Amino acid sequence: MSIKEDNRKAWEQAYAQKNDYEAALLKRIADHRLFYVDEPMKSVLDTMDLNDKTVAQFCMNNGRELLSVCHAKGARGLGFDIAENMVEAALEHARALKLDVECHAVDIDDMSAAFADRADLLITTVGALCWFETLDAFFSKAALVLKEGGTLLIQEMHPFASMLASEDEVDYDSACPQKPVYDYFERKQWTTHDMGYMSDITEAVSFHSFSHTLSDIVNALCRAGFIIEEMVETPLDHGNMFEAINGGGLPLTMMLRAVLPDKR
């Protein structure tokens, strides 16, 4: 079984046996502006006029961030994820919220030209890039989906955090939780058998993820034709992996804003 097929099956299994992960999702989106979008992306979105424009999201999960943006900003939505049951759920949530959103179960690397020039804005949120062993195909598909002049917003765990151990790892040192223990430059494949934030199961099909350096991300963006306009780093742990050092001064989350000026 391939890495991608492993991950698809694992995500579908985790979602099928989800805990209270979706509790009050529809109410939160309906009652709170951009409820599922974290800072600093939230502040950037607040400045953007997206009324009647199309917002896309890669690796959208159950669609909660995309639906939050579409509801708050009066935008159309275009979502993609590899897990079919999460795509179906996102469509159900969109219908319940009366939002103009379409969602597709596809592997981003294999996305067809049928989706070219569809979006004014494309977002990815924490925990998207790690599922791709290399990033060139990912960002080339981002360039495909975006219209010329479109914006890409990436919010992700800071690459620095790949050197840190989380509390459930054997290399974690509770006396010094900020201690780097992994090689930043090693293109490491990580394998786990649980998706704790979504499901309580611990014997899932294996999830496989990968670490990337900051230069991996920046260079892949540049090769895909993007111009990086802004980078923001914060000490906030939006991945919920490093509670002991959350807000403590280490860069744990970052946001990149890039534009696609010319598709020729």
Side-chain angles (χ1 to χ4, degrees), residues 1 3-19 21-22 61-62 81-89 104-107 131 194-195 197-201 203-207:
M1 187 180 296
I3 287 174
K4 291 291 185 67
E5 185 63 13
D6 260 2
N7 284 344
R8 182 187 68 79
K9 288 182 177 295
W11 278 110
E12 289 180 350
Q13 181 183 12
Y15 190 73
Q17 301 180 54
K18 60 183 177 294
N19 49 29
Y21 167 68
E22 281 189 348
N61 201 283
N62 65 351
D81 199 276
I82 198 170
E84 292 187 9
N85 58 351
M86 288 199 285
V87 167
E88 292 168 1
H104 300 273
V106 298
D107 178 352
W131 303 110
D194 69 90
M195 188 51 64
Y197 76 93
M198 177 186 291
S199 175
D200 297 325
I201 61 175
E203 296 300 327
V205 178
S206 299
F207 290 93

Side-chain angles (χ1 to χ4, degrees), residues 135-136 139-144 146-150 152 217-229 258-264:
L135 298 176
D136 284 307
F139 289 131
S140 70
K141 297 304 183 181
L144 172 76
L146 280 169
K147 301 174 184 177
E148 188 169 298
L152 172 61
I217 298 169
V218 169
N219 290 333
L221 279 167
C222 292
R223 286 191 293 267
F226 286 96
I227 295 175
I228 298 171
E229 292 193 329
V259 296
L260 190 68
D262 190 341
K263 299 190 77 168
R264 289 178 297 176

Side-chain angles (χ1 to χ4, degrees), residues 8-44:
R8 182 187 68 79
K9 288 182 177 295
W11 278 110
E12 289 180 350
Q13 181 183 12
Y15 190 73
Q17 301 180 54
K18 60 183 177 294
N19 49 29
D20 61 353
Y21 167 68
E22 281 189 348
L25 180 146
L26 296 179
K27 181 174 176 56
R28 286 168 172 170
I29 292 174
D31 293 351
H32 303 277
R33 184 175 179 83
L34 296 173
F35 181 88
Y36 286 107
V37 181
D38 294 318
E39 296 290 356
M41 183 182 283
K42 186 173 184 179
S43 292
V44 174

Side-chain angles (χ1 to χ4, degrees), residues 156-158 161 164 234-237 242 245-246 250-253:
E156 192 52 86
M157 293 299 295
H158 199 291
L164 304 174
T234 84
L236 301 178
D237 175 25
F242 307 107
I245 57 174
N246 186 23
L250 295 178
L252 298 180
T253 301

Side-chain angles (χ1 to χ4, degrees), residues 40 125-130 154-164 184 190 210-215 217-218 231-242 245 249-256:
T125 55
V126 170
L129 299 185
C130 64
I154 303 165
Q155 186 136 304
E156 192 52 86
M157 293 299 295
H158 199 291
F160 174 89
S162 67
M163 294 189 289
L164 304 174
Y184 176 76
W190 307 82
F210 303 90
S211 56
H212 304 289
T213 65
L214 184 57
S215 62
I217 298 169
V218 169
M231 179 176 178
V232 179
E233 301 167 287
T234 84
L236 301 178
D237 175 25
H238 293 309
N240 299 317
M241 295 177 63
F242 307 107
I245 57 174
L250 295 178
L252 298 180
T253 301
M254 70 170 192
M255 188 201 70
L256 286 167

Side-chain angles (χ1 to χ4, degrees), residues 107-194:
D107 178 352
I108 299 301
D109 287 347
D110 297 330
M111 183 180 293
S112 77
F115 298 109
D117 303 317
R118 292 285 308 276
D120 301 280
L121 170 68
L122 172 63
I123 64 172
T124 70
T125 55
V126 170
L129 299 185
C130 64
W131 303 110
F132 298 84
E133 187 170 5
T134 60
L135 298 176
D136 284 307
F138 184 91
F139 289 131
S140 70
K141 297 304 183 181
L144 172 76
V145 170
L146 280 169
K147 301 174 184 177
E148 188 169 298
T151 297
L152 172 61
L153 286 180
I154 303 165
Q155 186 136 304
E156 192 52 86
M157 293 299 295
H158 199 291
F160 174 89
S162 67
M163 294 189 289
L164 304 174
S166 59
E167 292 183 21
D168 61 347
E169 293 179 306
V170 296
D171 294 309
Y172 180 76
D173 182 354
S174 60
C176 190
Q178 72 274 25
K179 179 175 67 177
V181 296
Y182 301 119
D183 183 348
Y184 176 76
F185 296 101
E186 182 182 0
R187 272 42 171 195
K188 184 177 177 63
Q189 177 179 321
W190 307 82
T191 299
T192 185
H193 300 279
D194 69 90

